[in-house]
Amino acid sequence: MPPYLLGLRLGGRRVLVVGGGRVAQRRVPALLDAGAEVVLVSPSVTATLEGLAERGRITWHRRGYRRGDCAGAWLVQAVTDDAKVNGDVVAEADAARIWSVRADDAESSPAWTPASGHAGDATVGVLLGGDPRRAAGIRDAVVEGLRDGALESRHSRTKPAGVALVGGGPGDPGLITVRGRQLLAMADVVVTDRLAPGGLLDELAADVEVVDAAKIPYGRTVTQDRINEYLVEHARQGRFVVRLKGGDPFVFGRGGEEALYCARHGVPVTVVPGITSAVAVPSAAGIPVTHRGVAQEFHVVSAHVPPGHPDSTVDWEALARANGTIVLLMAVERMGLIAAALMRYGRSSGTPVAVVQDGTLPGQRALTATLGTVADEMAAADVRPPAIVVVGDVVNVAREIDMIRADLGRDP
């Protein structure tokens, strides 16, 4: 007959574990996570279990099992290497009407421990009649589906409310966070921008409304005020809204403005950080923004207005004097003016520069130049947004890595 699955709430309840080997080492932490008061009976234990005892996390009786040890327990785990001892423990527990698990003999065990896992607030348990490996495989598949949103349900009684500002990462759909993907799968409305990972939209249910709030440079655009209104309008209709953005919502993503607008209109907001392209795109091109002995600081700059513009708040003179890496976003159309300003304020014209277009996407391409040549080389290569510009000696680190890889690939 199939087992009857039940979730035990063990907070503050005594659980007896007889045996101190590898099986006990796997099971005791899960019992502690459930809040159980674990009593361990074994002449010897693993180093990990001994450490738990020394820290007062468990009570360890350094001896063999004795009849009467099960008294007061709510659950018993018989996990020794001795079949007779395990049988005696289970027999005592049965006589006292205490549920017990016998690790060495599934057929003789009154209860079974499922292959279990957690994804957010969901706990998954799988039993397959004594086949723990297959049970673990199914458990892993279900947990992965919950974590990446593939199995999430928008019809949950505890569906989120309001608006979630979700950072989608630098472009590759696989680089969105687990939490971001979970919330995206629960959305009723998705308000997306041009740099958000568009491949994720195809995974949405057919009844999810997708609002295109793209802002195309020098082209068609949706105003920020209208985007703010979209968020509040849909949320007030009782719909869960995900604002899917490229990178991180609070790194040149105007997420702060959207959060303020929602707060002023009484709409709850959840913020899910994303991987900012300022770091991820250089990494994807093999460029570390910091490197020991080369750069111990980096500066991320929005270059949507050039040096000298009245709206610019960037201290270009200070940036030029600093020795750290400069990462420029939205700089493609203004790179000539930026390079000239940095050189005017002291940066060498020979400073290495890298430009990475469509970072993390299949069409990623990069060029390297110097501060004195980068504007002309970008024009010759027809570089278009989105592209990240990295200024500094860390660009040479990427070159060194590439040279070493090339040498390793050559015949001796």
Side-chain angles (χ1 to χ4, degrees):
M1 291 181 291
Y4 180 83
L5 290 176
L6 185 69
L8 297 181
R9 304 177 69 184
L10 295 175
R13 291 182 165 88
R14 184 175 186 264
V15 175
L16 173 68
V17 178
V18 181
R22 288 176 296 176
V23 177
Q25 182 172 312
R26 290 199 307 269
R27 295 192 180 178
V28 166
L31 293 169
L32 292 174
D33 288 345
E37 295 180 358
V38 177
V39 177
L40 181 65
V41 175
S42 181
S44 61
V45 297
T46 67
T48 298
L49 292 172
E50 184 174 356
L52 291 174
E54 289 176 350
R55 298 200 304 273
R57 299 287 310 281
I58 63 175
T59 301
W60 176 26
H61 298 303
R62 195 176 307 204
R63 58 170 174 80
Y65 161 74
R66 296 174 186 166
R67 187 165 183 80
D69 281 340
C70 293
W74 293 74
L75 175 67
V76 172
Q77 297 263 355
V79 294
T80 75
D81 293 330
D82 188 320
K84 183 179 184 308
V85 171
N86 289 341
D88 290 344
V89 172
V90 168
E92 180 189 345
D94 261 0
R97 296 186 177 181
I98 300 169
W99 284 108
S100 61
V101 178
R102 180 171 175 173
D104 64 328
D105 188 346
E107 290 301 319
S108 301
S109 181
W112 292 336
T113 299
S116 61
H118 302 277
D121 56 359
T123 299
V124 175
V126 180
L127 293 172
L128 274 172
D131 188 344
R133 289 189 178 182
R134 187 172 172 229
I138 294 175
R139 182 259 334 260
D140 291 343
V142 173
V143 169
E144 182 180 355
L146 289 171
R147 285 177 176 167
D148 67 17
L151 297 180
E152 192 58 82
S153 171
R154 292 189 296 118
H155 303 291
S156 168
R157 288 183 295 177
T158 57
K159 187 178 70 173
V163 173
L165 305 179
V166 174
D172 181 344
L175 295 177
I176 190 174
T177 64
V178 171
R179 183 58 176 157
R181 195 153 189 169
Q182 288 173 342
L183 292 180
L184 184 62
M186 301 177 75
D188 298 310
V189 180
V190 176
V191 181
T192 184
D193 69 22
R194 183 178 64 93
L195 298 180
L200 296 174
L201 301 178
D202 191 43
E203 300 176 5
L204 299 174
D207 61 338
V208 176
E209 182 176 350
V210 177
V211 177
D212 184 356
K215 296 177 181 178
I216 301 173
Y218 315 109
R220 187 178 59 186
T221 187
V222 178
T223 67
Q224 186 61 49
D225 287 343
R226 187 64 188 119
I227 292 172
N228 296 343
E229 292 168 358
Y230 280 144
L231 302 179
V232 169
E233 286 172 6
H234 288 292
R236 281 181 167 174
Q237 295 170 14
R239 309 171 84 187
F240 176 51
V241 184
V242 168
R243 173 69 168 113
L244 182 63
K245 310 169 78 69
D248 183 283
F250 284 0
V251 180
F252 304 127
R254 305 188 74 167
E257 298 173 46
E258 293 166 358
L260 281 170
Y261 189 87
C262 289
R264 288 167 181 157
H265 290 79
V267 174
V269 176
T270 301
V271 179
V272 181
I275 302 174
T276 174
S277 59
V279 175
V281 169
S283 295
I287 304 169
V289 294
T290 63
H291 189 74
R292 188 175 63 173
V294 177
Q296 61 182 26
E297 60 181 295
F298 67 97
H299 308 266
V300 181
V301 179
S302 168
H304 66 286
V305 293
H309 192 282
D311 293 337
S312 176
T313 61
V314 179
D315 189 340
W316 291 101
E317 184 175 357
L319 278 178
R321 291 198 310 267
N323 294 321
T325 305
I326 303 175
V327 181
L328 302 168
L329 284 67
M330 296 172 275
V332 171
E333 301 294 333
R334 289 160 287 278
M335 198 57 217
L337 295 173
I338 292 168
L342 291 174
M343 290 186 289
R344 182 169 64 252
Y345 292 128
R347 283 270 176 150
S348 167
S349 62
T351 302
V353 179
V355 183
V356 186
Q357 178 179 322
D358 292 326
T360 77
L361 295 172
Q364 174 179 312
R365 64 183 182 122
L367 68 84
T368 56
T370 65
L371 206 52
T373 65
V374 64
D376 290 339
E377 296 201 32
M378 289 174 65
D382 193 26
V383 174
R384 297 170 182 263
I388 303 293
V389 179
V390 184
V391 180
D393 290 336
V394 290
V395 173
N396 287 335
V397 177
R399 290 176 178 169
E400 183 179 353
I401 293 171
D402 288 340
M403 290 174 61
I404 292 172
R405 287 174 175 167
D407 286 342
L408 290 174
R410 292 174 183 165
D411 293 333

